[in-house]
Amino acid sequence: MARMTMIEAIRDAMDVKMGQDEDVVVFGEDVGYFGGVFRCTHGLQAKYGKERCFDAPINESAIVGAGIGMATYGKRPCIEIQFADYVLPAYDQIVSEAARMRHRSNGEFTCPMVVRMPTGGGIFGGQTHSQSPEAIFTHVSGLKTVIPSNPYDAKGLLIAAIEDDDPVIFLEPKRLYNGPFDGHHELAVTPWSKHEKGEVPEGHYTVPIGKAQIVREGSDVTILAYGTMVFVAEAAAREQGIDAEVIDLRSLLPLDLETIQKSVEKTGRCVVVHEATLTSGFGAELAALVQQHCFYSLEAPVKRVAGWDTPYPHAQEWDYFPGPKRVGAALKATLEAK
Amino acid sequence: MSKKSDNKAVSTKSNAPEFTKDEDLYAYREMLLIRRFEEKAGQMYGMGLIGGFCHLYIGQEAVVTGVHMASKKGDASITGYRDHGHMLIVGLDPKAVMAELTGRAGGLSKGKGGSMHMFSNEERFYGGNGIVGAQVSLGTGLAFAAKYRGEDNVSLTYFGDGASNQGQVYESFNMAKLWSLPVIYIIENNKYAMGTSLERAASTTDLSQRGASFGIPGEQVDGMDVRMVREASERAIKHAREGKGPYILEMQTYRYRGHSMSDPAKYRSKDEVQSMRTERDPIEQVKTRILDKGWATEDELKAIDKDIRAIVSEAADFATNDPEPDVSELYTEITV
């Protein structure tokens, strides 16, 4: 099996779907001629032509709005927003139009559109290139929000997203594009070519939306994580010598509550980890659900480890980023809690 | 109102307004400061002292310099993320600007903003904005405030050719004309929105006419010739200051470097960059004039360069040795 970076896997997913389905079109800022600032669409315009992979002006609102129109008419647009931080002008279109198309037309129309965007920090991007805005999407009925943490899942989830008949927000943890970054910024990252999760099958396959994956089995505490934090959580558990079960959610909405519940009922303790700011973050939803569904199994309060409630900093990035040290401390505190 | 300028013309046009000796020497010095500062920032980025995103202004120096020469103290200015030159021209300390790039306590925003987010109330500089086009509405509001207060200040609102396609730009144009606001929209058309050329992103490429449907006058200006920039800016600023409303200046300029430090700029040819550098460089134009007119000797210009290099070197030393902000700074200027 070929090993790919996450960038190559994402490109491969679009390539597979463009090859299978003429209705799939790919567009966004710098995606056509230039091939995307992270190179995720490199070569697609050369292979499929300017009518199927093309550049758009710097117009997030109209890019998504036009995508919704295309999707409603029967195309399957796969849109790139250059950084998740740039999506806000398009938020109105996503919330007021895309998410509600099926419901308000009573199923007459759907919106099979994917909006891809690099998310998260760890690249010294400061406040406009590092944010993790997943919670503003999961707060909206009608949107599916997924976030892969490795090349295999990225390809399979993106194919599933493109094939989905409803809008999917596809978040790409940019710090994972080239390797499984675990928060140890002082060390070089192992490239995906030397990591088993870099193995990506050829051709078509899907990773179903709505299914989490247990990436590390354990019995003492459950860690709920997604994106970059999956590897941070694994590193923290390993370094602290804690028998933690790490669940990579992969899909935030729909959420695989069954897998979460089974694990927490087994371990009795739960730590939720995300890069995004704490207050009203997706972790609040997870903590509430665990409390609701696993209350009588819990031996300690559910703990959240998240970005501080500040803008993403320019200086002090590693004081902000919830790395293995902070996650490790939360694990210990949760295990010691009575 | 539109004045067409030929992209390919070498801009030693006979119709260019002459500068006095002092003006040419001022423009030379200021543009050279920006260039040497940016060259140093590029080096420091390469050395890992500056991280993340860093957008250099090299090639575009004549724009802010000419606009600044036509403005007065009290005028507000605001721009996007390619902002180092805009700060230096209004007189902000190169040490504090460079230290913000390196994220140090002595940086203009105390390390909170980085390359794209610096501000000065004293100099009426409202940033430094990372989101493409967002500053255009803000600049419109600055003009509203100046007018409301009965001050004769104008808003110098800079943005790029890429931003000129953003929807909020046109919402702002409409309001600015509707309310007759003293704002000059300065479009720095450097021909590439990141990796996408203007032709691939814009249905019409004469950006000076983007305000036509709102009744906003506009001009295309040779943005590589500081004299042309100043002359057009004087006209635009006078228009706005006299209460006649907004004005658009499309500055036709060019960035020599990539969009940011991580952009190898493979979407354009080396010849294109080279011909701009050799035929239209804004600093070389002034230098040639100064030498031709005998206003300074080669040695005297070298002395100016040496002086500027010392200023930039001092800024770099400061930005390298200044301490990083204390961790507690993460939570200052946070209200909730």
Side-chain angles (χ1 to χ4, degrees):
Chain A
M1 212 182 302
R3 288 197 175 172
M4 293 184 185
T5 66
M6 205 149 151
I7 293 165
E8 290 162 340
I10 287 164
R11 185 192 306 148
D12 195 33
M14 288 186 277
D15 193 358
V16 166
K17 284 314 297 174
M18 290 177 93
Q20 286 181 344
D21 183 352
E22 282 204 346
D23 281 329
V24 176
V25 290
V26 169
F27 67 105
E29 295 157 11
D30 285 316
V31 309
Y33 181 81
F34 189 55
V37 297
F38 289 103
R39 319 307 291 156
C40 288
T41 55
H42 179 67
L44 295 178
Q45 186 175 77
K47 186 166 177 183
Y48 295 102
K50 288 179 184 171
E51 290 190 348
R52 297 192 58 202
C53 178
F54 50 93
D55 294 312
I58 306 176
N59 289 156
E60 292 82 9
S61 176
I63 288 170
V64 171
I68 297 167
M70 293 177 197
T72 311
Y73 198 90
K75 303 290 285 183
R76 287 187 182 269
C78 184
I79 289 167
E80 177 177 302
I81 297 290
Q82 200 161 72
F83 285 84
D85 314 69
Y86 300 172
V87 78
L88 297 175
Y91 192 55
D92 184 37
Q93 292 288 352
I94 291 171
V95 175
S96 306
E97 312 302 329
R100 295 173 189 163
M101 189 59 73
R102 177 189 282 273
H103 183 77
R104 71 175 178 216
S105 71
N106 196 33
E108 187 74 9
F109 290 118
T110 62
C111 181
M113 173 181 71
V114 179
V115 185
R116 295 176 38 240
M117 52 189 116
T119 188
I123 64 155
F124 292 108
Q127 57 190 267
T128 53
H129 298 79
S130 309
Q131 297 168 93
S132 299
E134 63 274 11
I136 68 172
F137 301 113
T138 57
H139 194 55
V140 180
S141 166
L143 291 181
K144 294 174 182 168
T145 299
V146 302
I147 175 166
S149 69
N150 58 68
Y152 178 90
D153 285 351
K155 180 177 171 184
L157 269 174
L158 184 51
I159 291 176
I162 293 171
E163 291 176 350
D164 200 287
D165 284 337
D166 292 291
V168 179
I169 304 295
F170 191 88
L171 299 167
E172 301 168 5
K174 62 176 100 67
R175 195 60 174 81
L176 298 183
Y177 272 149
N178 292 305
F181 177 69
D182 64 5
H184 285 291
H185 56 93
E186 70 283 5
L187 305 175
V189 172
T190 308
W192 285 119
S193 61
K194 293 188 178 151
H195 194 282
E196 57 178 11
K197 287 189 174 174
E199 289 191 354
V200 177
E202 274 182 42
H204 182 279
Y205 71 95
T206 60
V207 169
I209 293 172
K211 290 282 175 208
Q213 187 174 45
I214 296 169
V215 294
R216 182 186 202 268
E217 291 195 3
S219 54
D220 289 348
V221 55
T222 299
I223 309 179
L224 304 181
Y226 48 90
T228 309
M229 288 301 129
V230 171
F231 297 100
V232 173
E234 282 185 302
R238 193 172 58 241
E239 287 158 18
Q240 298 293 334
I242 289 171
D243 189 19
E245 181 145 296
V246 179
I247 299 179
D248 178 357
L249 298 178
R250 301 197 291 196
S251 171
L252 305 186
L253 204 67
L255 182 69
D256 185 356
L257 190 56
E258 193 186 335
T259 298
I260 295 172
Q261 191 172 343
K262 265 190 198 159
S263 176
V264 177
E265 282 172 354
K266 177 177 74 175
T267 63
R269 296 169 200 263
C270 181
V271 172
V272 179
V273 187
H274 60 59
E275 262 187 88
T277 47
L278 179 76
T279 302
S280 300
F282 191 65
E285 182 64 30
L286 292 171
L289 286 168
V290 169
Q291 184 272 146
Q292 185 185 345
H293 293 276
C294 313
F295 185 77
Y296 296 104
S297 307
L298 283 174
E299 293 170 44
V302 179
K303 203 165 186 68
R304 289 180 289 160
V305 186
W308 306 122
D309 281 336
T310 73
Y312 200 100
H314 166 60
Q316 306 152 314
E317 174 154 34
W318 302 117
D319 292 314
Y320 177 91
F321 190 91
K325 209 170 142 191
R326 251 158 75 195
V327 176
L331 292 175
K332 278 168 81 176
T334 302
L335 285 179
E336 286 161 11
K338 299 227 162 84
Chain B
M1 298 297 289
S2 174
K3 280 210 301 200
K4 306 284 179 189
S5 69
D6 182 353
N7 285 352
K8 293 181 187 119
V10 176
S11 47
T12 46
K13 292 171 195 155
S14 55
N15 66 344
E18 290 299 320
F19 270 12
T20 64
K21 176 184 172 185
D22 285 352
E23 287 165 348
D24 256 341
L25 284 169
Y26 170 84
Y28 179 71
R29 193 185 165 86
E30 291 299 315
M31 291 197 287
L32 201 57
L33 172 65
I34 296 170
R35 177 148 316 174
R36 296 287 179 249
F37 182 95
E38 295 291 62
E39 286 168 352
K40 181 63 82 177
Q43 283 171 16
M44 289 173 71
Y45 191 96
M47 291 159 68
L49 286 161
I50 298 169
F53 293 82
C54 183
H55 311 87
L56 302 182
Y57 198 61
I58 297 174
Q60 300 181 214
E61 297 91 343
V63 177
V64 291
T65 304
V67 173
H68 184 71
M69 289 175 82
S71 69
K72 71 166 182 61
K73 180 90 179 164
D75 288 340
S77 58
I78 186 166
T79 187
Y81 44 78
R82 199 177 305 285
D83 57 352
H84 311 158
H86 301 69
M87 289 182 277
L88 296 175
I89 199 70
V90 297
L92 293 173
D93 183 357
K95 292 206 294 287
V97 177
M98 197 68 97
E100 189 60 34
L101 299 185
T102 55
R104 304 304 168 101
L108 258 179
S109 297
K110 226 173 176 178
K112 287 182 169 68
S115 163
M116 297 180 273
H117 309 101
M118 284 180 252
F119 306 83
S120 167
N121 200 3
E122 171 81 23
E123 301 300 341
R124 287 277 191 267
F125 180 72
Y126 291 84
N129 290 274
I131 295 297
V132 174
Q135 77 275 18
V136 181
S137 304
L138 272 57
T140 305
L142 296 174
F144 185 98
K147 182 177 175 174
Y148 186 87
R149 287 186 165 188
E151 297 169 356
D152 71 342
N153 296 326
V154 301
S155 165
L156 304 167
T157 299
Y158 295 88
F159 54 105
D161 47 294
S164 74
N165 293 317
Q166 274 281 9
Q168 58 194 328
V169 169
Y170 299 92
E171 298 174 27
S172 302
F173 282 0
N174 184 47
M175 289 195 290
K177 182 64 182 179
L178 181 68
W179 299 330
S180 200
L181 302 179
V183 52
I184 295 92
Y185 295 112
I186 301 153
I187 305 174
E188 298 196 57
N189 176 6
N190 64 21
K191 301 181 175 55
Y192 294 90
M194 294 173 276
T196 299
S197 66
L198 183 63
E199 293 72 22
R200 287 201 301 275
S203 59
T204 58
T205 54
D206 182 348
L207 303 178
S208 72
Q209 295 308 300
R210 290 293 182 94
S213 66
F214 305 98
I216 304 177
E219 300 181 28
Q220 287 187 315
V221 182
D222 177 354
M224 303 300 274
D225 185 337
V226 66
R227 301 169 303 175
M228 302 296 282
V229 173
R230 188 188 69 168
E231 189 201 36
S233 301
E234 282 174 341
R235 200 157 42 243
I237 290 172
K238 183 168 182 282
H239 177 94
R241 221 187 289 288
E242 286 176 352
K244 294 177 185 166
Y247 204 100
I248 294 170
L249 295 175
E250 179 196 339
M251 301 293 183
Q252 298 190 318
T253 183
Y254 200 78
R255 65 167 153 77
Y256 295 173
R257 300 291 184 92
H259 162 72
S260 67
M261 292 303 296
S262 53
D263 169 18
K266 286 182 178 166
Y267 43 79
R268 60 186 187 187
S269 70
K270 278 185 183 157
D271 287 349
E272 179 183 304
V273 182
Q274 199 51 36
S275 77
M276 274 288 177
R277 278 177 177 274
T278 52
E279 293 167 27
R280 300 190 58 204
D281 185 77
I283 299 175
E284 284 301 315
Q285 288 187 45
V286 179
K287 185 178 174 184
T288 303
R289 280 203 303 277
I290 290 171
L291 291 173
D292 284 353
K293 291 182 177 173
W295 283 342
T297 63
E298 282 273 9
D299 284 346
E300 285 164 333
L301 292 184
K302 273 184 192 155
I304 292 174
D305 195 8
K306 197 177 164 198
D307 183 29
I308 284 168
R309 282 178 193 276
I311 293 169
V312 169
S313 180
E314 190 190 4
D317 288 347
F318 178 75
T320 306
N321 298 316
D322 193 48
E324 290 186 5
D326 189 76
V327 178
S328 64
E329 283 295 333
L330 267 174
Y331 265 98
T332 59
E333 304 302 338
I334 297 285
T335 53
V336 288

